[in-house]
Each structure stands twice: as structure tokens, then as C-alpha cells.
Amino acid sequence: MDKFMNRAVELAAENVRNGGEPFGAVLVKNNKQVAEGVNELHKRFDITAHAEIQAMRKAQKMMHTHELKNYTMYASGEPCPMCLTAMYFAGIDTVYYASSAEDAAGAGLGKGKDIYEELQKTKRDRAMRMVHMPLEDGQEDPMALWKTRT
């Protein structure tokens, strides 16, 4: 097994032994490890504290950037939709993962798989209601303000 994937799996197993979920991640650039993370929901009481996001946060803070173009993520489990989206926003090029979303669901960790399925539905058919509330007349438009800034 690749050394970076091996480390991600090692982190995940250690996290389980420490009371966490079985997820570890290693962020790599130019064949060098830049940061790593584990799922810390149980420690931080933060639903976004997934392994991949934790690794990204460490790297971004260290380098004072939000862009991670030309980076590779190694994850012990297939990234959930939130992590995948964050990686798209950051510009990560490649993601390798060991356990699939189906494997996670089989272990009782099926939210990622469920959310992937939910996102395939139209907004109207999703379990979470989404209601568009357009700006009122005369209200300052943050998007228009942004356009004048850039």
C-alpha cells in the first residue's frame, strides 16, 4: 500500500482506539506530506471536523492560503459530500480513498452515502427545505458590491 494511504489508514485506526470515528487523511504535494487529520467530531463538537477538512485547515493556516491546487488527498474513507465539496473549492486535484461510502454505511456510518443520494434529488424533493428569499427593494446587494470590488 502507498505510504500516504498507509498513514491515513493508520490515523483512522488510532482515532477509533481514541474514541473517534474511523477516518484519517493525509494531504500531499510533490510527493511530500504537508498535513494530516483525523475525524474530531467527538472532541470538537463540530460537524465539519472531518479528517480531510482538518488536514486542509492545517495546511491552509500554515501557508496562509485557501487554495490547494496541485495537492493530493489520501483518505481512509471515501470523502463525504461536504469534504468533497471543500476539496473542489480548494482546488485539490486528486483524491485516493481506501474504504468506500458503501463500506462506511455497512459499518453504521451511512450519512455520507445518504447525503450523496439526497443531493441527486431536485431541491423540491429533498428532505431539507430550501426557501429562496430574494433581496427586498432598496436593500444593499452584497453580490453587486462584490462585483464593484473585483
Side-chain angles (χ1 to χ4, degrees):
M1 182 179 273
D2 176 278
K3 68 180 180 179
F4 300 120
M5 182 58 76
N6 191 51
R7 178 63 181 151
V9 171
E10 184 180 278
L11 287 165
E14 183 179 320
N15 201 44
V16 171
R17 286 190 291 278
N18 291 327
E21 293 180 346
F23 300 106
V26 175
L27 187 62
V28 173
K29 184 170 185 181
N30 298 326
N31 206 34
K32 292 185 179 146
Q33 180 174 327
V34 176
E36 60 184 34
V38 295
N39 186 299
E40 294 184 336
L41 303 173
H42 65 296
K43 288 182 180 176
R44 298 184 181 271
F45 305 103
D46 175 357
I47 199 67
T48 68
H50 288 200
E52 300 91 335
I53 289 178
Q54 295 296 85
M56 290 170 56
R57 283 177 177 153
K58 288 175 187 174
Q60 291 169 328
K61 185 175 183 179
M62 179 176 53
M63 296 179 295
H64 299 274
T65 185
H66 63 273
E67 193 169 303
L68 298 172
K69 191 172 170 66
N70 300 317
Y71 283 73
T72 301
M73 182 69 75
Y74 291 81
S76 64
E78 183 175 354
C80 74
M82 175 183 65
C83 293
L84 185 64
T85 301
M87 287 186 270
Y88 269 111
F89 273 112
I92 290 176
D93 297 316
T94 305
V95 179
Y96 295 99
Y97 62 92
S99 298
S100 69
E102 291 76 20
D103 295 333
L109 299 162
K111 275 193 176 175
K113 183 177 177 293
D114 294 345
I115 295 170
Y116 271 122
E117 291 170 3
E118 184 76 6
L119 291 174
Q120 297 298 312
K121 299 176 184 176
T122 64
K123 289 178 191 174
R124 181 179 52 237
D125 294 330
R126 292 180 187 159
M128 180 188 293
R129 261 184 66 209
M130 291 182 63
V131 181
H132 180 218
M133 296 179 68
L135 297 174
E136 295 177 6
D137 287 340
Q139 191 172 13
E140 186 173 29
D141 182 350
M143 295 298 171
L145 184 62
W146 174 256
K147 280 195 232 179
T148 63
R149 249 191 86 190
T150 58

